[in-house]
Amino acid sequence: MLPALPNPFYYLDNFRVLLNWISARYADLLLPAELAFVDGFARLPHASQALLVRMVMRKGEWFRAGKLNYAEIGDTRAAAQPLLAAGWISADPLLTLAEVAPLLTRAEVLSQLPPQASTARLAKDALVAAWADIAPEAQSFSQWYPPDTLYQLDLRPLCDRLRLMFFGNLRQDLSEFVLAELGVYRYEKVDIPAEARVFRSRADVDHYLYLHDCRSRFEDGAPCEEIAALLTNLQLDNPWLEERRGRVLYALGQQFERQAAWDDAARMYALSIDPSARVRTVRVLERQGRHAEALHAAHALLNHHDCDEVSVQQLHRMLPRLQRATGAPIIRKSRKAAVERIDLCLPQPPAPLTVEHAVVAHLHCDDAPVMYVENTLINALFGLLCWPALFAPIAGAFFHPFHFTPADLASPHFRQRRQALFDAALAQLESGQYVETIRQRFIEKAGIQSGFVAWSVIDQTRLDLALDCLPAAHLRLWFERMLCDITTNRSGFPDLVQFWPSERRYRMIEVKGPGDRLQDNQTRWLNYCLDHGMPMAVCYVTWA
DNA sequence: ACTTTACGCG
DNA sequence: TTCACACGATCTA
DNA sequence: GATCGTGTGTCTCGCGTAAAGTCA
Ligand SMILES: [Mn+2]
Ligand SMILES: [Mn+2]
């Protein structure tokens, strides 16, 4: 049980912090009307401020007075009056039946229908359908349901904008404040300059919101052509936003592919700067039967010097097919790295246990314990050793108190911007100091949110075993590869690690159940590790 | 009377 | 808005 | 067997409550 907060208006305090943060850093990016809100909010009566924040933190834009019951606010209708006068909420909006139905319970819907024995037992959907036959298309809430009053929150777009400018994303919200205060989340303390802000221009904020809206509409099933038109001529000079645009375009391309709209898909991929879009361009040509063009495009990409590892892997897999289809000589690059293979026939464990657990149970013994850790072990060791580099107050990396990774983690310059800090961290692997550093940091930083440390998975025992059995040279190789492309290379590690503490050695085991195959990122890590002489194995399981 | 799900909450 | 697995379709050896 | 595409479950803080559906 969490301790209660002493201040019943804690959420209002948090909102004020956000507003002050915004007005201190972003006054030049706000319109006069938006500044007027920030200003005017502070002059509202206390209870009205609180009520507005309660609505902002809840879902939707419509709120029934009867459902806004807060002891610390008191009379809801009285608190709402100043908000109505300011025009930040409106009363008794016009609604369609489809809009009003979710606001009413089944019993309330029934109460507004003429009493008929035939309707009394119907499900809510059926009651609403019956209501549609006798009700107008749209009417005010008080006409739909006289017993209660409805308010409409008109500030959602502005509050989303402020939330975005504060967090730099729309995934986080005001609950971060209270969760941090309660200690549910603990965040690393990073010095944030008084002027630090993630957006440099209002246009960038507008564009982020625009792209987010495009993505939402796409996910809600809007026609691809419609979203495509919204993105096609969008000019962005901010690389971060252009990447976000590229990801939406890529998703659109995939959807067009599902519809076999090859030309549209190719158009989306051509507009996208996402590297995977270039590979899909080749695949679309192939699916169109344009094999010679596809082969040519594949070679063009492969010959380009900055073709990334993922694309190279995917293109190489396409080459034999394209070469066969075009009659070109088939060049097979069948360099199959020899990896130890373990074949097991095991009884299928009952849910929720998985094939990985079955293999753990089979291979585990007291002097050679096995852990099911996937990416979490190496990521945690990396995150602990490189903690000062990851949380270094680099300009632009941290701009609010609730980061669990630096904002520029995916940037190609990520490592270079922290070169000295990463060099120092990795140098500890040469000196042997890393063991003590990681142990100490595990204690010192325990529980603090980090994108690399899953605290619930890593305990002292596992950490000690890992530090005893994993050679520093191998840690160095893993970390170096991760740093080449952190977002790509932080996943794909094998499922299991087995340790022999008495011999100070280990092996990694990727488990494959029936029907499962090595995935691309697993193959890349496997090949890298084998190339460097690391002990790897793949365990294929069939059910007894 | 029971389960499932969505939401609000600190 | 991540990551990994499950599974079916299709084609090739 | 290899490859590709698609769907699913797991993450997201954990708890209490209301609402709706399911079943007898
Ligand atoms: Mn796995
Ligand atoms: Mn596996």
Side-chain angles (χ1 to χ4, degrees):
Chain A
M1 195 59 187
L2 294 165
L5 296 175
N7 177 5
F9 290 99
Y10 71 91
Y11 54 92
L12 177 54
D13 283 355
N14 295 338
F15 187 71
R16 285 169 168 163
V17 168
L18 189 146
L19 282 187
N20 290 338
W21 191 281
I22 295 286
S23 53
R25 293 151 207 262
Y26 277 123
D28 58 321
L29 301 196
L30 294 176
L31 301 177
E34 294 164 347
L35 286 167
F37 165 73
V38 175
D39 241 29
F41 179 82
R43 284 194 277 275
L44 285 172
H46 197 250
S48 301
Q49 292 185 25
L51 181 63
L52 188 64
V53 176
R54 282 293 192 186
M55 287 194 269
V56 168
M57 293 181 72
R58 281 171 60 163
K59 201 191 161 190
E61 58 180 320
W62 295 306
F63 302 92
R64 289 171 56 176
K67 302 282 185 184
L68 293 167
N69 300 312
Y70 297 100
E72 79 280 4
I73 291 175
D75 185 339
T76 298
R77 285 176 167 80
Q81 287 313 310
L83 301 174
L84 291 163
W88 294 331
I89 68 173
S90 39
D92 206 23
L94 207 64
L95 300 180
T96 66
L97 179 58
E99 289 168 336
V100 80
L103 303 174
L104 302 173
T105 68
R106 200 199 80 103
E108 289 166 340
V109 172
L110 190 59
S111 75
Q112 298 311 114
L113 288 171
Q116 286 175 16
S118 61
T119 58
R121 294 171 161 277
L122 294 177
K124 185 181 178 185
D125 287 351
L127 288 180
V128 172
W131 203 359
D133 292 336
I134 58 173
E137 181 91 355
Q139 56 184 343
S140 69
F141 181 84
S142 60
Q143 291 171 296
W144 285 114
Y145 190 71
D148 204 354
T149 304
L150 192 73
Y151 300 121
Q152 174 173 295
L153 176 67
D154 299 317
L155 279 176
R156 184 74 66 189
L158 175 56
C159 288
D160 283 345
R161 173 182 292 268
L162 300 178
R163 186 160 62 89
L164 172 62
M165 293 166 78
F166 180 84
F167 286 111
N169 64 66
L170 289 170
R171 279 171 284 114
Q172 292 174 285
D173 58 36
L174 274 178
S175 70
E176 296 284 344
F177 286 84
V178 68
L179 292 175
E181 194 168 351
L182 290 169
V184 173
Y185 294 141
R186 292 173 52 217
Y187 292 95
E188 179 64 322
K189 291 179 177 60
V190 182
D191 283 334
I192 298 169
E195 70 281 4
R197 61 185 199 177
V198 55
F199 288 100
R200 292 198 322 275
S201 74
R202 184 174 178 90
D204 283 354
V205 183
D206 289 340
H207 284 139
Y208 188 110
L209 291 166
Y210 184 83
L211 291 170
H212 186 265
D213 187 52
C214 288
R215 162 69 78 168
S216 304
R217 288 159 66 175
F218 170 67
E219 283 169 357
D220 290 345
C224 293
E225 293 81 359
E226 187 184 314
I227 311 298
L230 294 173
L231 294 175
T232 296
N233 293 316
L234 186 62
Q235 295 295 322
L236 303 171
D237 52 10
N238 182 327
W240 172 49
L241 294 171
E242 189 59 49
E243 277 165 31
R244 296 188 66 83
R245 173 172 175 258
R247 284 198 288 275
V248 183
L249 287 164
Y250 180 76
L252 285 169
Q254 293 206 295
Q255 186 58 31
F256 277 129
E257 279 200 77
R258 281 181 212 109
Q259 301 165 4
W262 311 124
D263 289 335
D264 289 322
R267 203 160 45 81
M268 296 299 102
Y269 293 146
L271 290 171
S272 171
I273 63 161
D274 193 312
S276 40
R278 291 198 278 273
V279 177
R280 292 313 301 177
T281 302
V282 178
R283 180 75 180 115
V284 167
L285 286 170
E286 183 187 17
R287 297 180 91 176
Q288 287 178 293
R290 296 158 68 177
H291 297 110
E293 292 164 83
L295 182 60
H296 184 263
H299 277 133
L301 286 179
L302 284 168
N303 290 333
H304 203 263
H305 64 283
D306 64 357
C307 188
D308 62 287
E309 203 184 345
V310 177
S311 299
V312 168
Q313 183 182 27
Q314 292 172 341
L315 290 167
H316 269 130
R317 201 163 45 217
M318 294 185 197
L319 278 183
R321 255 191 348 258
L322 295 173
Q323 286 159 343
R324 191 179 312 111
T326 55
I330 297 173
I331 303 144
R332 283 207 169 275
K333 186 191 141 193
S334 59
R335 185 195 63 89
K336 283 231 164 178
V339 54
E340 185 191 343
R341 183 188 165 107
I342 304 169
D343 287 284
L344 295 178
C345 186
L346 300 173
Q348 187 164 12
L353 296 184
T354 64
V355 62
E356 292 86 357
H357 296 104
V359 175
V360 168
H362 183 265
L363 294 179
H364 185 94
C365 53
D366 288 343
D367 52 357
V370 183
M371 306 172 188
Y372 177 24
V373 289
E374 280 180 339
N375 308 314
T376 58
L377 179 65
I378 306 304
N379 275 329
L381 295 170
F382 172 82
L384 292 171
L385 180 63
C386 300
W387 194 284
L390 292 169
F391 289 102
I394 304 288
F398 296 90
F399 40 81
H400 61 72
F402 310 108
H403 289 268
F404 58 92
T405 49
D408 62 339
L409 188 67
S411 158
H413 309 110
F414 172 74
R415 179 179 184 167
Q416 178 259 319
R417 284 180 190 147
R418 300 153 176 83
Q419 190 66 51
L421 288 164
F422 277 118
D423 287 349
L426 296 179
Q428 296 190 33
L429 293 167
E430 314 297 329
S431 71
Q433 178 62 36
Y434 74 99
V435 175
E436 196 46 44
T437 299
I438 290 176
R439 284 218 176 91
Q440 187 210 326
R441 211 156 269 150
F442 179 76
I443 293 164
E444 178 192 341
K445 302 295 186 185
I448 298 181
Q449 296 293 122
S450 162
F452 291 92
V453 188
W455 294 103
S456 60
V457 180
I458 305 300
D459 59 19
Q460 190 71 55
T461 312
R462 294 180 160 201
L463 189 70
D464 287 341
L465 271 173
L467 290 173
D468 282 346
C469 298
L470 302 175
H474 290 187
L475 291 174
R476 168 119 207 176
L477 287 161
W478 290 323
F479 296 168
E480 288 286 0
R481 180 162 190 272
M482 288 173 69
L483 280 169
C484 286
D485 183 345
I486 291 210
T487 45
T488 304
N489 294 337
R490 58 188 294 177
S491 62
F493 289 98
D495 295 312
L496 315 182
V497 188
Q498 186 163 28
F499 294 114
W500 285 269
S502 61
E503 304 171 52
R504 304 201 65 184
R505 69 182 178 92
Y506 76 100
R507 69 171 165 174
M508 289 181 155
I509 305 156
E510 171 55 35
V511 176
K512 287 299 161 196
D516 189 14
R517 297 291 148 141
L518 285 174
Q519 299 177 38
D520 285 0
N521 58 352
Q522 295 171 336
T523 304
R524 292 193 305 272
W525 263 118
L526 204 53
N527 287 336
Y528 177 86
C529 293
L530 291 171
D531 283 348
H532 291 94
M534 299 176 187
M536 314 297 281
V538 181
C539 177
Y540 293 94
V541 178
T542 53
W543 298 127

